[in-house]
Amino acid sequence: KGDHGILTAMVGMDELDRSNLPRHVAIIMDGNGRWAKRRGLKRVLGHHKGADAVHEIVTATRDLGIPWLTLYAFSEENWQRPQQEIQALMGLLGRFLKKERQEMLDNGIRLSAIGRIDKLPETTRRELLETMSATSVNHDMVLTLALSYGGRQEIVDAARALALQVQSGSLRPEDFTEEVFSRFLYIPAMPDPDLLIRTSGEYRISNFLLWQIAYSELYITPILWPDFDRREYHRAIREYQQRERRFGNTGAAG
Ligand code: IPE
Ligand code: IPE
Ligand code: MG
């Protein structure tokens, strides 16, 4: 039937090469405020819509079988925002973590976090830790939230931990390698992101995963985060699949 033909064509358009999926996708979820402003709404409503997008993208990642997803939810620098917006964001985050807990358990998703978690308000931190501990035995996918996170901060923290080991005599400076250094990052087992997505069109990194993105493929879309859906996500992955990753070597074309 005609309908069926159209459907097949749409599915075909959306088809991804399952043998060449990124192992780790990291996303700078930007544009909630602009999304709201364009509709004459308060910024916080953009964050609410943004939470729905988080749900959709987490589900889509799980469906694809991508084992690592890292979302930049709140930067160290975001503490400079008006108190009212921070409070709304933190409240939303706490409710989100509570609401999504069962779904994560049902889908084998382990929640983890990177950043200065101790700076979060008590109730938000409690929901975070509770969801992390409830999901800690899951191993199908790791969802990492970057919260009160700064890439430079992470590097400084790693350098400090290394310095302490040198001071105590358990490590010699000549044994520092990239591999040793990366063991001191917030999540040592985390592979580097293959694909880094930024929504809402800004061409910058904003202090996200500085060490880890050395060779990540960058995908920047003008789509605002609340509008970033499964379809847009698949579009990003499809583009990723067309990239030739060279890692400094000569390409396949020679
Ligand atoms: C991203 O949306 C969410 C956070 C940074 C918490 P923004 O709030 O930065 O939205 P814009 O960039 O002002 O549109
Ligand atoms: C980056 O977005 C941080 C998050 C998405 C959490 P920002 O909106 O804070 O970044 P800038 O200020 O535009 O660089
Ligand atoms: Mg922004």
Side-chain angles (χ1 to χ4, degrees), residues 29-35 43 47 72-75 78 81 85 89 198 200 202 224-225:
M29 311 184 288
D30 198 15
N32 294 351
R34 274 163 282 179
W35 184 93
R43 289 178 59 84
H47 296 314
Y72 204 5
F74 196 84
S75 74
N78 287 149
R81 293 192 179 194
E85 178 166 346
L89 266 170
R198 182 166 187 145
S200 89
E202 239 66 75
L224 304 174
W225 176 251

Side-chain angles (χ1 to χ4, degrees), residues 7-16 238:
L7 253 175
T8 327
M10 280 171 65
V11 170
M13 257 172 57
D14 226 31
E15 216 148 85
L16 294 169
R238 223 173 305 120

